[in-house]
Each structure stands twice: as structure tokens, then as C-alpha cells.
Amino acid sequence: MGSNSLPYLENIARHYAVQAVMNDREGNYGEAVKNYRNAMDILVKIIQLYPENPLNTIYKDWIRQYQKRIRDIESFRASPIPASGPVKGESLDEEIDSLIIKEKPKVGFNEVAGLESVKRALYESIIYPTKRPDLFPLGWPRAILLYGPPGCGKTYVAAAAANEIDGVFIHVDAASVMSKWLGESERKVAAIFNKAREISSRDQKPVIIFIDEVDSLFGTFSSEIGGEVRVRTQFLKEMDGLQDKGNVLRFVYIIAATNKPWKLDEAFIRRFQKRVYVPLPDKESRKQLLSLYTSSLKLSPEVSLDGLADILESYTASDIRDIVMSAHLRTVRDLFSKGSESGDPRPIQKEDFMEAIKERRPSVNKELIKVYESWDSKFRAI
């Protein structure tokens, strides 16, 4: 593997996962299993290399979901049962329970640099209505679509929103919804929403259903089977049900994230009252990110975060974190090269950052940014 940077590894893991889902939906189960395993291997590597990454709790949940899907596929291939037969083993309710993130990432909006339009949309759609529903007699948006380049904080900010309202976080992706049983996938979708409404009513807690890589579930494909259409129809029905203005005590929200919004079905796009672009960080955001990532490190007086923020134009938030880590690693390497394992590394110098930047180009190219901006100009709804 040519790179160990976090955004690179995240992109590879997502690529394998999406490819696995495509293989799965085509009935190419051997390739699906192989790609689910590849995605799991990369996620395990991320957790090992970046133990402090606040999204690791979500990545561990993804691994569990991919493991379960592999078991389902292998069980089905070993002893196929008619599609109309009963589901054995884990009950549907237990399956839905497994989608609930028991340990939410410990991240709040104060740790999200920039993204002011995104945070404003989440405040207006989720946080303010949850705290003061009486101020919203006409109701409020329940569905938010976050789109933009990978590594810019879509999953991060969704988890932060759940923490801000002390809400329950249910993570959904294509692997967790798909089933070998005819009709089971749409029942699973209905069960997810029923569980969210049950928790919200019973425990008086807000619930966020987070759909990651939503294009792999509700994109437009050249060939579809009836089951996929029914799953999408069921999801649209459930999303419409969230807009029942008489049901104000049930705080159930959807946040969907995608790196490929242009693949989404337009009927699905219309259900999101808020559609918010999560762009590359601007200069002020880059400076905030540098300040956040270097807060526990020792910097040489010659290091100017303002100057570095200028140089790091076109880099994602994940890219910037990797550059800071790489610069710091140079000081650790120097410490060990002197034959000493005691003492503190030297302060990070400007040269350390410049060498790290030379070795890491932006993970998103300018042509792709133009595609996002074009889509944003057509479908934005803030």
C-alpha cells in the first residue's frame, strides 16, 4: 500500500465497502465477501494507526456490520433456503439494536473547525427544535443531506450533533440493510424507523438515523431488481412519515452523507429539506484545524499557523491532521535516531511541516471540486 494517511485509508475502505455492496446486489457473493473483508482489513488498520481518532467507535461498528453480512452470505451459500422462508438466528429486533452506536464518538461542535453553514443547518433543524419545540409551530426539517469531498467532516459533524442533544445515534449503510430474503430488506428499513420512534417516545430522547454513503443505497443504477425498488420506496415512505407535524414529541431525524450526490435519485433528494455542502476548509478553518491538532505539541517560535494555513489551501481536514502528525513524527524519529528513548522530542520546526507537505499532496483534485460546486448550485437547500 503506497500511503498510510488517514484520508487515503478511509477512501480505500469506503471504496471496498461500496464495491462489496455492488457485488452483493448483483448476486456476486464471492466478490462481495472478498471486498467486505478488504474493507474490514483497512478499517482495522485505521484503528491501529490512529487510536485517538474519534470516529473509531463508528469504524468498529462498520466492522461488526460487515462481519455479520459475511456470515449471512456464507450461511446462505452453504445451505440456500427459499427466499420466502423464515429468517433464522438473530432476530430482526436484535439486528436493529446492533445498529445503535452504544458509545458515541466523544466530539462536540466546539471541536469542529469552520463548517459554519453546516453547523447552522444542524442547529436550526435538530438542536433548536429539540430544545424548544414550542418555537416551531409549523414544524421543522427532519432530514438533512450532507455532501462534499471525503475527509471534510461529514460523519464527524453528524456525530457531534448527536452529542449536542444527547441523542441516540443509529448508523445505517447498505450492508446493514441488505438481505438475502425477499421482502426482508424493506421490513428491516421499517424496523429501523419503528425502533427510532419507539426510543424517542419511550425514553423521550432524540434519535438520529445516520445513513453513510447514502448513494450506495439510493443511487440510480443502470439495472435494478424489484427488491431494490421496494427498499427505496419503503425508505421514502418512512421519510414522509417523519414530517407528520402532529407528532412533535417524536424527535427522529435523518442525516445522510455522500461523496457522490450526483448519483442520488431525485425523488430521494427532494425529501431532504436541508441539503448542505461540506466543502474544503477555508483559510480560517485551516488555521483553526492547525491550532486544534497542534494544541498538545511543542512548536518552534518560527512556526506560523497563519502561514501554514495559506500553504495548505486545497487540503481536507483529514489531510491537515495527517500533515501535523507527519511533522511531529519527524521529531520523534530524531529522538530515537540519537539512541535515546528518554526525554522529550525537540519542538516541531517549520522545515518539518514543509517536508511533510512535500510528501502529501491534497487528496481531492480541483476538477472534482468543480463537480461538487456545480451540483451544489443546482440542489443546495440551507
Side-chain angles (χ1 to χ4, degrees), residues 18-34:
V18 170
Q19 191 59 50
V21 169
M22 296 298 293
N23 297 144
D24 210 340
R25 80 166 69 235
E26 293 166 359
N28 189 354
Y29 297 123
E31 286 299 305
V33 168
K34 183 174 78 173

Side-chain angles (χ1 to χ4, degrees), residues 47-118:
I47 293 168
Q48 291 172 341
L49 291 175
Y50 300 88
E52 301 303 318
N53 180 15
L55 297 184
N56 282 350
T57 55
I58 291 179
Y59 292 160
K60 289 175 184 175
D61 182 67
W62 293 2
I63 290 170
R64 287 192 293 271
Q65 290 182 25
Y66 299 155
Q67 287 172 332
K68 183 182 183 307
R69 184 58 190 158
I70 288 171
R71 289 196 301 271
D72 283 349
I73 291 172
E74 290 181 338
S75 172
F76 175 54
R77 295 172 73 195
S79 54
I81 302 171
S84 58
V87 179
K88 296 183 179 180
E90 187 177 33
S91 73
L92 185 56
D93 197 51
E94 290 172 328
E95 245 185 284
I96 304 307
D97 278 341
S98 72
L99 303 181
I100 300 173
I101 305 293
K102 304 298 189 294
E103 181 187 351
K104 294 191 297 293
K106 295 177 175 63
V107 56
F109 278 152
N110 59 324
E111 297 167 89
V112 178
L115 301 184
E116 297 307 320
S117 63
V118 181

Side-chain angles (χ1 to χ4, degrees), residues 22 30 43 125 145 148 192 197 242 263 306-307 312 380-381:
M22 296 298 293
L43 291 172
S125 303
L145 177 67
I192 289 169
R197 285 188 283 265
L242 293 183
K263 286 194 171 183
D306 190 73
L312 290 170
R380 178 198 308 128

Side-chain angles (χ1 to χ4, degrees), residues 18 145-150 154 213-216 218-222 232 257-269 275-278 364-380:
V18 170
L145 177 67
L146 305 178
Y147 55 91
K154 293 183 291 296
E213 296 297 322
V214 69
D215 54 279
S216 65
F218 303 112
T220 53
F221 300 96
S222 55
R232 186 157 61 224
T258 178
N259 300 331
K260 301 172 183 175
W262 45 86
K263 286 194 171 183
L264 292 175
D265 184 286
E266 289 203 22
F268 191 66
I269 293 170
R275 299 184 289 272
V276 189
Y277 182 34
V278 184
V364 181
N365 66 59
K366 292 181 179 179
E367 292 305 312
L368 184 57
I369 295 301
K370 291 179 182 177
V371 176
Y372 284 117
E373 290 173 347
S374 174
W375 197 91
D376 179 62
S377 68
K378 295 177 183 175
F379 293 101
R380 178 198 308 128

